[in-house]
């Protein structure tokens, strides 16, 4: 995944949750991850956590300083946080997931479009296709996506690659996991390359 940043001359790398499978990872694993991210500096890496690496005092993020790497920008605030990259004319927003919030909505608190050209949101959750999905946690509804009017919505949680944009004005895609996790992930080894262009 990191190699692809150089191959595609990417301006930024987005990671939409579940970097770590649980809170029980070793300090060596966390340090390895941070060291790897630092190899592509100064390219910014913008990340949120997911349901596997949830927030809390005993979480990875409560025990380790993931902000020690200058090019790694974690958006872990429960109410959401925005970042502006002036050189890219880019506004990025994401929200930290806390498993104690049974009614967590990944897009709740997303601000309106501002003055920046490009607006990209990160959301870790379950896209609701029909009423059959109403029992799911971390729901993301189609009308929520399209009401944002943002340029791109990077989705995490599903391990298979899938475009859920539909006919709406917002492009919303699950990149899929970059490694095989289960039989559902038939496109393992892929990364999602997104080109933002005025047309």
């Amino acid at each position: 995944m990191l190699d692809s940043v150089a191959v595609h001359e990417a301006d930024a790398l987005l990671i939409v949750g579940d970097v770590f499978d649980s809170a029980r990872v070793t300090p060596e694993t966390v340090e390895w991850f941070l060291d790897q991210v630092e190899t592509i500096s100064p390219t910014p890496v913008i990340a949120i956590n997911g349901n596997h690496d949830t927030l809390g005092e005993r979480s990875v993020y409560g025990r380790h300083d993931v902000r020690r790497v200058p090019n790694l920008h974690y958006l872990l605030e429960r109410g959401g946080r925005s970042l502006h990259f002036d050189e890219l004319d880019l506004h990025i927003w994401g929200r930290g997931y806390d498993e104690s919030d049974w009614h967590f909505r990944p897009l709740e608190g997303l601000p309106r479009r501002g003055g920046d050209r490009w607006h990209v949101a990160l959301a870790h959750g379950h896209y609701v296709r029909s009423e059959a999905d109403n029992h799911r946690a971390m729901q993301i509804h189609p009308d929520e996506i399209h009401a944002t009017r943002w340029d791109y919505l990077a989705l995490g949680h599903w391990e298979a690659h899938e475009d859920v944009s539909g006919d709406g004005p917002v492009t919303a895609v699950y990149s899929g996991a970059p490694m095989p996790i289960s039989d559902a992930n038939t496109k393992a080894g892929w990364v999602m390359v997104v080109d933002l262009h005025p047309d």
Side-chain angles (χ1 to χ4, degrees):
M1 184 176 69
L2 293 172
D3 289 344
S4 69
V5 171
V7 170
H8 295 282
E9 299 180 353
D11 293 311
L13 172 64
L14 308 180
I15 301 178
V16 194
D18 293 347
V19 167
F20 305 104
D21 189 52
S22 74
R24 296 182 300 276
V25 295
T26 66
E28 292 78 17
T29 299
V30 177
E31 286 304 311
W32 179 86
F33 166 69
L34 296 174
D35 289 344
Q36 293 300 307
V37 167
E38 198 166 17
T39 64
I40 64 167
S41 185
T43 301
V45 177
I46 301 98
I48 60 173
N49 71 307
N51 60 307
H52 283 262
D53 52 355
T54 186
L55 299 177
E57 287 183 16
R58 292 179 293 178
S59 76
V60 171
Y61 309 106
R63 299 187 339 260
H64 300 279
D65 180 14
V66 296
R67 292 193 166 115
R68 75 158 175 81
V69 177
N71 63 314
L72 178 59
H73 308 273
Y74 255 104
L75 302 174
L76 299 174
E77 290 74 11
R78 290 167 174 84
R81 180 164 69 98
S82 292
L83 288 176
H84 298 272
F85 294 91
D86 294 337
E87 67 279 9
L88 301 175
D89 205 6
L90 176 65
H91 179 124
I92 291 188
W93 179 90
R95 183 170 180 229
Y97 171 66
D98 184 343
E99 64 186 352
S100 66
D101 182 358
W102 291 95
H103 303 289
F104 180 82
R105 297 295 284 268
L107 292 177
E108 189 174 76
L110 181 72
R112 293 185 176 187
R113 287 186 65 105
D116 301 287
R117 168 172 283 185
W118 304 118
H119 285 69
V120 175
L122 283 63
H124 189 92
H126 185 82
Y127 180 76
V128 176
R129 300 179 192 276
S130 67
E131 290 183 7
D133 290 324
N134 284 341
H135 68 286
R136 301 273 189 174
M138 305 180 302
Q139 293 183 10
I140 300 172
H141 291 263
D143 57 336
E144 286 181 293
I145 291 174
H146 300 306
T148 70
R149 301 288 176 181
W150 280 41
D151 297 302
Y152 182 69
L153 179 58
L155 298 173
H157 185 51
W158 290 1
E159 57 205 52
H161 169 84
E162 187 162 352
D163 186 334
V164 295
S165 306
D167 297 327
V170 178
T171 300
V173 181
Y174 285 93
S175 64
M179 58 184 287
I181 297 174
S182 73
D183 292 340
N185 188 15
T186 58
K187 295 181 179 178
W190 288 34
V191 294
M192 184 77 192
V193 179
V194 179
D195 291 313
L196 299 174
H197 190 277
D199 295 333

